[in-house]
Amino acid sequence: MLGTRLRCGFDLNRVPLVTELPPARRELIERHLIALPPDERRLRFAAALSDDALRAYARSIRFDRDAAFGAFDERLDLVGFGHLALAGPEAEFGLSVLPSARRQGLGLRLLLRAARHARALGTDSFLMTYLPENQALRELAKRAGMRIEFDAEGPLARMALPEAEPDALLHEAADATLTGLDLSFRLANRSAKQLTSA
């Protein structure tokens, strides 16, 4: 299928895809969040939210202001999700990766992708708040070069963002378009395979 295999025979469907998510993918976000086990929900939201609460959260994402990013495995399941909340000069990032998709670098790829997006929009600071026992997120933040701080509400990780290049927004738009097309090609390829095997 066009867009999924190079001449050398390398199958792009086996390469995890990280892309910005449009509002049309909101249902995938809901499914990803509901797939999180209770302990993972607590680490992500500081409370083990119910399925209904997670659906309400997914529906509340303001795509006109914020940004959402997803990591897809070779089956095109949304195994990692990041929500970048943009408000003024500071951006806050929340991240979840399904336990089955850990230790593949997806969390770091999502974090760096979101930080690049925030920088392109002229944001000065990028931060993540987390529960003290969430050592995995703390280590991830440190690998990304973030500074660990503590305030009255608990620990947080912060990164100062340098001023973006003049054409950064253009690059962001191009990246979102190309990776969005890549995802669409992969989904179409999966559908075609399912039809031929039915």
Side-chain angles (χ1 to χ4, degrees), residues 6 8 13 16 22 28 35 40 51 71 86 95 98 105 107 109-110 112 116 119 123 130 143 145-146 162:
L6 300 178
C8 64
N13 285 326
L28 295 180
E40 297 296 328
D51 289 358
L86 297 158
L95 174 68
L98 295 181
R109 286 180 62 190
L110 284 165
L112 295 176
R116 193 182 79 201
R119 179 189 177 202
T123 305
Y130 60 94
R143 288 209 316 272
M146 302 182 76

Side-chain angles (χ1 to χ4, degrees), residues 12-22 24-29 31-32 68-81 97-98 101 104 106 109-110 179-180 182-184 186-187 190:
L12 291 179
N13 285 326
R14 297 187 179 277
V15 180
L17 173 66
V18 172
T19 182
E20 187 172 351
L21 299 174
R25 306 297 184 194
R26 199 185 296 270
E27 184 179 338
L28 295 180
I29 296 172
R31 268 189 270 162
H32 166 80
F69 301 91
F72 293 84
D73 65 8
E74 65 183 62
R75 296 184 305 275
L76 295 177
D77 292 328
L78 183 64
V79 295
F81 166 64
V97 177
L98 295 181
Q104 298 178 38
L106 297 179
R109 286 180 62 190
L110 284 165
T179 55
D182 188 2
L183 177 59
S184 295
R186 295 189 194 202
L187 289 170
R190 183 180 68 174

Side-chain angles (χ1 to χ4, degrees), residues 4-184:
T4 63
R5 190 176 294 276
L6 300 178
R7 291 182 184 274
C8 64
F10 184 69
D11 191 353
L12 291 179
N13 285 326
R14 297 187 179 277
V15 180
L17 173 66
V18 172
T19 182
E20 187 172 351
L21 299 174
R25 306 297 184 194
R26 199 185 296 270
E27 184 179 338
L28 295 180
I29 296 172
E30 289 185 17
R31 268 189 270 162
H32 166 80
L33 294 173
I34 289 170
L36 292 171
D39 284 350
E40 297 296 328
R41 296 182 187 193
R42 188 181 66 82
L43 290 176
R44 170 61 180 86
F45 296 100
L49 299 183
S50 67
D51 289 358
D52 285 343
L54 291 172
R55 290 189 186 96
Y57 164 77
R59 288 193 297 268
S60 73
I61 297 173
R62 292 185 52 184
F63 286 90
D64 60 325
R65 181 196 65 188
D66 298 345
F69 301 91
F72 293 84
D73 65 8
E74 65 183 62
R75 296 184 305 275
L76 295 177
D77 292 328
L78 183 64
V79 295
F81 166 64
H83 178 194
L84 182 68
L86 297 158
E90 196 161 63
E92 184 170 356
F93 186 60
L95 174 68
S96 55
V97 177
L98 295 181
S100 61
R102 300 276 170 79
R103 301 187 181 280
Q104 298 178 38
L106 297 179
L108 183 61
R109 286 180 62 190
L110 284 165
L111 189 160
L112 295 176
R113 178 68 184 83
R116 193 182 79 201
H117 185 82
R119 179 189 177 202
L121 294 176
T123 305
D124 297 330
S125 181
F126 180 90
L127 69 89
M128 296 191 299
T129 59
Y130 60 94
L131 294 177
E133 60 267 35
N134 195 345
Q135 292 301 306
L137 192 62
R138 181 177 185 272
E139 291 306 311
L140 174 66
K142 289 170 66 176
R143 288 209 316 272
M146 302 182 76
R147 186 176 68 253
I148 306 301
E149 302 176 359
F150 296 88
D151 64 14
E153 297 182 2
L156 58 88
R158 187 188 305 274
M159 174 168 38
L161 299 175
E163 185 176 351
E165 293 83 0
D167 59 352
L169 278 176
L170 182 61
H171 285 295
E172 279 297 293
D175 184 272
T177 300
L178 290 173
T179 55
L181 286 172
D182 188 2
L183 177 59
S184 295

